[in-house]
Amino acid sequence: MSDANARLERLTSMLKRRGIILPAFEIHGGVAGLYDFGPVGGRLRRRLVDSWVEHWTSQGDIVEIDSPTITPESVLIASGHVGEFNDYMSECKACSGAFRSDHLVAQNHPNPDILTSEQLDQLIAEHAIECPTCGSQDWNDARPMNLMFDTRIGAMKGGRTAYMRPETAQGMFMLYPALYRHFRNRLPFGAVQTGKGYRNEISPRQGMIRLREFNMAELEYFIDPAVEIEHDFTPWTSTLFNLVPDPEHGEPVQMVPGEAAQKNVIRHPTVAWFMARTWSFLVSVGIDPEKIRFRQHEGTEMAHYATDCWDAEIYGSYGWIECVGIAHRGCFDLQAHESATGDKNLRAWRPYDVPKSVDKTVLSGVGSVIGPAFRANAGKVHDALGKIDAPGPSPPFELDLDNGSTVTIQAGMYEEKHIQSTEHGEWFLPHVVEPAFGIDRILWHILDHAFDESGKGDDGAYTVLRLRPRVAPIDVAILPLMEKDGLEEMAMRIHQKICSVRQLISYYDGSGSIGRRYARADEIGVPWAITIDHESLESGTVTVRRRDDGAQIRIPVDQLSSHLTSEELESMF
RNA sequence: GCGGAUGUAGUGAAGGGGUUAUCACCUGAGGUUUCCAACCUCAUGUCACGGGUUCAAAUCCCGUCGUCCGCACCA
């Protein structure tokens, strides 16, 4: 076994032993692709998600929403997920190549998309379809590849088909009208949502990398495609990003994001800007900047909705893993929902710089004549006349109505009407830039990058989880030097006081030698350990030990929670 | 879904047709200890599930389930 695999096993078993990440439902045998966050991991995840939400909402034009995970089928039909996820696959028995069954029979059927698996198998057999890879004609039966968990809304047969959402994004699109009102009809604006997404993976592998139920965090940023946003790239003027463009577009380069946008390596400046903001987030929660790269999707691998997509990949025990997808989705989703529902509220209003005035003369039916003459068709006649610029053909003339019939218009049935109006703008479909984060994958890499076994002394074998304080599950360990002479009472009081402070969590540990307790705290990444000794009883001061180097200072106990809250302990060493 | 491997305490491992299943770490209690996994004593906790063979199954056989690895799949 390689060293890397051995390290991975030690990390995994530590995560399980210390209650960070554990296989779910284990007493019932476990289920691949489902994990629990334990007493330590649960808080780590919460801190990570909170950091993420704060990172985006601090921008000022982004709000948080939350929508159901159960999603009616029609939503996912409109979004394309049902079509995309419902394909049948055929596998070649000879070379194990897997192909979409409908593509295999595309030449043999006008609309293979609608065929059942039996029909597909029959067509493949009839036409002796060859495997595109190896030429064999021996196929396994077509099987559906729907990766969504289905369910029903409502009991019994009357229930409506629904799916567990495969992404959170649709919730933001459903709420577009509410967001548009909230932001007083002004683009750009965005919404974030964090929560669970579901994919019924055929065979989940690689631990936290491919899950059946996973934590997502997605941002939809709505922009006017006609307006070039001036993004401020100055925070990253000396930060070189590792960029791996689509091979058709160029070689991997290191470049600051502003330049990459300017030189069109990244095609859209807003995409570049979100890539930069994403980089900053990842680094702020403890991802090693050396292990981040951005890779552009190739045309063939692009999701069905995306027009340009860059993945943030993080390097860890499983190699380079896609952890964030930043996609320019164009107007795909809003348009899809608009045409599926006919809803008129999925657009934004763009005022013209100079209002367009309309000044024309058209024909206008005379109601008192047309009404009796055409009765039920009168309305259509009015509409058709209104489209004819004055003076129009000389009467009598034939007029085509939009219901296909033709009527004869006599003089006196209409008059000329002068129309003068001003158009101040137009309705358009906003475009969307979507950064979508796989929280579990990021969390995994935080742990992976923080897991330090370099040890101290000769024997090595000392584990420290070097988590950033902002994501550390526990802020501080409270350790009485010994559990006697009143040290334990004082320690317990401090512990309870810290825990009562908003956003702070401590834990009390009085068992084992002081060194063992430091080691336990280090292993789950507690950044600070407070030790209460006899001097504490007399002077009201305690020692603060820094996880990363064991250095200690002594501070008054009543300053503890304020120092922890303000994160200024670091500067006191 | 296919092929291979595998399932023994919280973790990691050893063992194996025989009645009390072993070891280390971990965890807990007590002792000791005035700051970095010290030490001593004690304790909790385990053979995935179901069936078969057998006087006796954790061990052998069959099945199921789970897990791991490879193939394939993977917005």
Side-chain angles (χ1 to χ4, degrees):
Chain A
M1 180 183 300
S2 69
D3 289 350
N5 277 340
R7 178 181 183 275
L8 179 56
E9 284 195 6
R10 289 193 300 275
L11 172 55
T12 306
S13 68
M14 186 279 281
L15 295 176
K16 195 171 171 185
R17 180 160 37 83
R18 293 299 186 188
I20 298 174
I21 294 166
L22 311 88
F25 307 115
E26 221 186 4
I27 62 171
H28 282 271
V31 181
L34 298 179
Y35 284 85
D36 286 324
F37 290 99
V40 178
R43 182 153 178 87
L44 176 59
R45 192 202 63 172
R46 175 164 298 283
R47 285 240 158 137
L48 175 60
V49 171
D50 285 353
S51 295
W52 186 88
V53 172
E54 199 199 323
H55 180 77
W56 299 111
T57 54
S58 67
Q59 195 170 309
D61 60 353
I62 292 173
V63 291
E64 182 178 12
I65 61 127
D66 193 74
S67 42
T69 59
I70 297 174
T71 308
E73 183 176 37
S74 58
V75 173
L76 294 163
I77 289 174
S79 71
H81 286 92
V82 171
E84 282 294 311
F85 281 65
N86 260 334
D87 298 318
Y88 287 94
M89 301 292 290
S90 291
E91 194 180 13
C92 170
K93 285 182 182 173
C95 72
S96 291
F99 304 92
R100 278 179 58 166
S101 314
D102 56 333
H103 288 181
L104 290 172
V105 298
Q107 304 299 315
N108 312 103
H109 193 278
N111 190 7
D113 215 22
I114 59 170
L115 298 174
T116 65
S117 60
E118 290 81 8
Q119 290 169 320
L120 286 164
D121 289 335
Q122 198 183 345
L123 271 176
I124 288 171
E126 270 174 26
H127 296 277
I129 303 290
E130 290 184 0
C131 170
T133 306
C134 71
S136 161
Q137 297 174 6
D138 196 9
W139 295 94
N140 282 312
D141 289 349
R143 54 176 205 271
M145 294 294 293
N146 192 331
L147 292 180
M148 291 192 291
F149 285 98
D150 57 355
T151 185
R152 300 196 72 74
I153 299 174
M156 314 304 281
K157 286 184 179 171
R160 213 177 150 188
T161 300
Y163 298 95
M164 306 304 289
R165 66 183 177 196
E167 58 171 28
T168 63
Q170 297 310 318
M172 271 78 89
F173 297 123
M174 295 300 102
L175 280 180
Y176 173 81
L179 293 165
Y180 186 64
R181 277 195 301 277
H182 176 84
F183 282 105
R184 302 294 178 263
N185 306 359
R186 283 178 209 164
L187 293 173
F189 58 76
V192 294
Q193 173 166 213
T194 65
K196 293 295 184 75
Y198 304 83
R199 289 173 65 175
N200 200 357
E201 294 284 353
I202 303 161
S203 90
R205 296 280 167 87
Q206 299 178 303
M208 298 295 286
I209 303 303
R210 289 184 59 204
L211 300 170
R212 288 198 164 114
E213 172 174 335
F214 48 97
N215 292 283
M216 320 181 74
E218 294 186 300
L219 160 59
E220 308 297 327
Y221 197 68
F222 297 94
I223 55 176
D224 181 341
V227 173
E228 180 96 344
I229 303 175
E230 289 291 322
H231 292 291
D232 177 11
F233 287 101
T234 54
W236 303 279
T237 43
S238 57
T239 311
L240 288 172
F241 286 14
N242 299 308
L243 299 174
V244 185
D246 178 345
E248 290 177 17
H249 283 82
E251 295 298 305
V253 289
Q254 289 202 323
M255 201 180 274
V256 300
E259 186 188 0
Q262 200 176 15
K263 292 187 174 171
N264 212 33
V265 176
I266 303 166
R267 288 180 226 161
H268 196 285
T270 302
V271 172
W273 190 73
F274 275 109
M275 287 164 65
R277 290 273 288 154
T278 294
W279 184 91
S280 293
F281 169 74
L282 293 175
V283 172
S284 77
V285 294
I287 297 294
D288 181 349
E290 299 291 313
K291 295 176 178 171
I292 300 174
R293 74 178 185 192
F294 290 95
R295 196 178 63 82
Q296 187 179 33
H297 277 203
E298 296 174 28
T300 52
E301 108 185 89
M302 208 93 76
H304 60 272
Y305 46 71
T307 59
D308 188 18
C309 188
W310 288 79
D311 286 344
E313 298 185 327
I314 303 177
Y315 188 80
S317 298
Y318 299 105
W320 286 103
I321 296 292
E322 167 197 349
C323 293
V324 185
I326 299 162
H328 190 290
R329 290 170 81 127
C331 61
F332 177 92
D333 299 274
L334 290 174
Q335 186 164 53
H337 290 298
E338 182 183 75
S339 47
T341 64
D343 197 289
K344 303 291 188 206
N345 293 307
L346 300 175
R347 291 177 173 250
W349 176 255
R350 177 162 52 217
Y352 295 135
D353 292 338
V354 180
K356 290 180 186 173
S357 55
V358 175
D359 193 348
K360 59 182 179 181
T361 305
V362 295
L363 303 189
S364 171
V366 178
S368 59
V369 181
I370 286 180
F374 300 109
R375 297 185 178 268
N377 274 337
K380 308 247 182 233
V381 174
H382 272 292
D383 292 344
L385 284 170
K387 289 174 186 163
I388 300 173
D389 290 330
S394 49
F397 62 88
E398 303 294 303
L399 179 67
D400 295 330
L401 304 185
D402 66 2
N403 62 4
S405 60
T406 302
V407 297
T408 305
I409 300 298
Q410 308 289 344
M413 285 183 170
Y414 62 91
E415 52 198 25
E416 293 185 3
K417 187 168 80 175
H418 186 73
I419 294 176
Q420 187 167 31
S421 69
T422 308
E423 289 179 10
H424 293 272
E426 61 187 335
W427 292 98
F428 68 100
L429 287 162
H431 284 199
V432 172
V433 176
E434 176 197 85
F437 290 64
I439 291 294
D440 309 279
R441 290 181 173 189
I442 293 168
L443 191 142
W444 167 262
H445 285 97
I446 289 172
L447 293 167
D448 196 352
H449 294 180
F451 185 61
D452 181 356
E453 299 179 291
S454 58
K456 48 184 173 182
D458 302 327
D459 55 346
Y462 190 93
T463 300
V464 180
L465 209 50
R466 300 194 186 279
L467 298 172
R468 295 286 184 96
R470 70 183 304 181
V471 295
I474 291 164
D475 299 284
V476 57
I478 308 296
L479 317 172
L481 194 54
M482 295 163 297
E483 283 190 306
K484 63 180 183 185
D485 302 336
L487 295 179
E488 73 275 36
E489 280 95 355
M490 182 172 179
M492 193 55 84
R493 276 200 307 277
I494 294 171
H495 166 59
Q496 283 166 346
K497 182 159 181 255
I498 299 272
C499 282
S500 72
V501 176
R502 190 176 154 80
Q503 301 290 357
L504 284 185
I505 291 287
S506 65
Y507 81 72
Y508 173 95
D509 191 353
S511 87
S513 72
I514 190 69
R516 173 180 301 275
R517 284 177 275 157
Y518 286 146
R520 278 195 287 241
D522 288 343
E523 196 173 25
I524 59 168
V526 182
W528 310 104
I530 305 301
T531 308
I532 290 85
D533 56 20
H534 286 93
E535 193 183 333
S536 306
L537 296 174
E538 293 156 18
S539 67
T541 60
V542 294
T543 54
V544 180
R545 170 187 178 273
R546 181 164 61 187
R547 174 196 66 204
D548 289 330
D549 60 1
Q552 299 194 353
I553 58 170
R554 199 161 188 102
I555 67 165
V557 66
D558 51 14
Q559 294 176 9
L560 198 53
S561 50
S562 66
H563 283 322
L564 285 168
T565 307
S566 61
E567 295 182 8
E568 62 194 16
L569 268 176
E570 188 66 47
S571 63
M572 300 171 69
F573 278 79

